[in-house]
Amino acid sequence: MTIINPYESLPCRLTEIVEESPGIKTFTISPKPINFEAGQFAELTVPGVGEAPFTPSSSPFDNDKLEFTIMKVGRVTTALFNLKPGDLVGIRGPYGKRYPLEKFRGKEVFIVGGGVGFAPLRSLFLALVHNINDYKKIYIRYGARSPKDIVYKQFLPKWDKLENVDILLTVDVGDETWNGRVGVVTVILDEIPVDFNNSVAIVCGPPIMMKFVTKRLLEAGFSGADLYLSMERNMSCGLGQCNHCRVGELYVCKDGPVLTWSQIKHVREPFV
Ligand SMILES: Cc1cc2nc3c(=O)[nH]c(=O)nc-3n(C[C@H](O)[C@H](O)[C@H](O)COP(=O)(O)OP(=O)(O)OC[C@H]3O[C@@H](n4cnc5c(N)ncnc54)[C@H](O)[C@@H]3O)c2cc1C
Ligand code: FES
């Protein structure tokens, strides 16, 4: 009998590393080692250092490669930032639940991101664009600390030209290169031009941003069941075994990472 170790990583090779902003890089792994659906995550291992969970930022429909957009914050991410194209990493997954795209069909999809939280949203956006006629309209509202902290700068103008896509950015602090909106991401949520009876909102970003954006979207008129939140918790097993990632009675690794506001609204401090 073959025993499959669920914690075993698949070795795979980094083929490209792109600096998106100071402190954020996109890592390409090719050939694509695992399949996933938008919203799911994987555990990436740096040999000899450890592993951490990340959500792919590439399209689930891209059969050639897998990309992760990662912010340097600690041990594993610093080790990742020291790697070069050609180096090996490990991967296990995918884990967690995907965005339920079938529920978004025919609707306006209102995506709100902050900082590196744009990573899973890029994967979602590319999945939506793959079948763009299935959706009524796609909005992106994205906030970064400063113009140089904006990720995917090379793609944003192209995405904005797509029919039925509407993109608005803001930065906390502008500079001489910036002509756009200034202020935290809620400044670009003063107008939400959707039909709340036929739209969904999807949010991913730092906890404080998630808290205020959720409040604003609920006040504006989104229902808790139509508000999808990418939750983050410290993780260990990624398999619903270790209890590290609980939000109330739910496990982020198994029931999430995408949870609706209706699922977590009774939790005292859901965004930590
Ligand atoms: C489901 C899921 C998906 C994720 N997807 C992504 C992704 O696509 N891109 C990405 O960059 N990150 C993502 N993260 C966060 C990522 O897992 C952590 O940043 C990573 O585990 C940090 O590991 P480390 O060893 O470098 O830091 P550690 O050494 O464990 O932590 C060092 C310090 O950084 C702090 N820290 C840890 N995580 C963060 C954070 N996210 N932001 C700020 N400070 C932090 C810790 O509190 C600690 O003080 C995701 C997390 C989850 C749960
Ligand atoms: S990470 Fe172990 S239960 Fe979720």
Side-chain angles (χ1 to χ4, degrees), residues 171-246:
V171 292
D172 296 353
V173 183
D175 64 15
E176 65 289 348
T177 65
W178 185 249
N179 300 317
R181 299 287 295 266
V182 176
V184 293
V185 75
T186 43
V187 305
I188 48 173
L189 301 180
D190 44 5
E191 269 182 48
I192 301 181
V194 303
D195 170 4
F196 293 104
N197 294 318
N198 192 35
S199 55
V200 294
I202 292 116
V203 188
C204 187
I208 187 77
M209 171 261 178
M210 299 278 287
K211 179 174 171 173
F212 286 105
V213 168
T214 297
K215 185 168 176 286
R216 169 70 194 127
L217 296 180
L218 290 167
E219 277 168 7
F222 284 101
S223 78
D226 290 329
L227 181 44
Y228 293 84
L229 305 160
S230 276
M231 302 299 289
E232 275 195 20
R233 282 291 185 279
N234 283 339
M235 285 192 185
S236 184
C237 69
L239 295 166
Q241 304 288 327
C242 72
N243 244 347
H244 268 71
C245 67
R246 284 184 70 155

Side-chain angles (χ1 to χ4, degrees), residues 20-252:
E20 298 284 350
S21 73
I24 300 182
K25 287 183 180 179
T26 295
F27 297 82
T28 303
I29 294 170
S30 175
K32 190 180 184 182
I34 57 165
N35 287 316
F36 72 100
E37 293 191 70
Q40 291 187 298
F41 71 97
E43 292 277 347
L44 272 190
T45 305
V46 182
V49 180
E51 65 175 8
F54 302 100
T55 309
S57 56
S58 49
S59 170
F61 295 104
D62 185 335
N63 293 323
D64 299 329
K65 64 181 185 305
L66 192 59
E67 289 174 325
F68 292 91
T69 301
I70 295 177
M71 182 166 76
K72 180 171 153 180
V73 294
R75 225 163 57 85
V76 173
T77 49
T78 300
L80 269 169
F81 268 56
N82 290 335
L83 296 179
K84 309 236 162 346
D87 287 340
L88 286 176
V89 292
I91 192 163
R92 61 181 178 98
Y95 299 122
K97 300 244 172 9
R98 60 184 176 81
Y99 290 104
L101 297 188
E102 66 285 357
K103 290 191 185 168
F104 302 175
R105 272 194 209 117
K107 297 189 178 179
E108 294 175 277
V109 183
F110 195 78
I111 297 171
V112 187
V116 77
F118 206 167
L121 300 177
R122 178 196 184 214
S123 177
L124 168 69
F125 175 74
L126 295 173
L128 295 171
V129 165
H130 188 79
N131 292 307
I132 198 156
N133 295 329
D134 284 359
Y135 311 97
K136 202 163 164 211
K137 187 149 182 168
I138 306 169
Y139 297 87
I140 291 180
R141 299 293 181 260
Y142 174 60
R145 272 182 305 201
S146 73
K148 66 180 185 325
D149 292 307
I150 293 172
V151 295
Y152 310 134
K153 286 187 224 24
Q154 70 277 38
F155 299 118
L156 284 162
K158 203 168 74 187
W159 294 345
D160 201 24
K161 287 200 185 85
L162 293 171
E163 209 181 325
N164 284 338
V165 173
D166 174 311
I167 300 180
L168 201 53
L169 309 183
T170 183
V171 292
D172 296 353
V173 183
D175 64 15
E176 65 289 348
T177 65
W178 185 249
N179 300 317
R181 299 287 295 266
V182 176
V184 293
V185 75
T186 43
V187 305
I188 48 173
L189 301 180
D190 44 5
E191 269 182 48
I192 301 181
V194 303
D195 170 4
F196 293 104
N197 294 318
N198 192 35
S199 55
V200 294
I202 292 116
V203 188
C204 187
I208 187 77
M209 171 261 178
M210 299 278 287
K211 179 174 171 173
F212 286 105
V213 168
T214 297
K215 185 168 176 286
R216 169 70 194 127
L217 296 180
L218 290 167
E219 277 168 7
F222 284 101
S223 78
D226 290 329
L227 181 44
Y228 293 84
L229 305 160
S230 276
M231 302 299 289
E232 275 195 20
R233 282 291 185 279
N234 283 339
M235 285 192 185
S236 184
C237 69
L239 295 166
Q241 304 288 327
C242 72
N243 244 347
H244 268 71
C245 67
R246 284 184 70 155
V247 182
E249 74 287 6
L250 300 173
Y251 293 94
V252 169

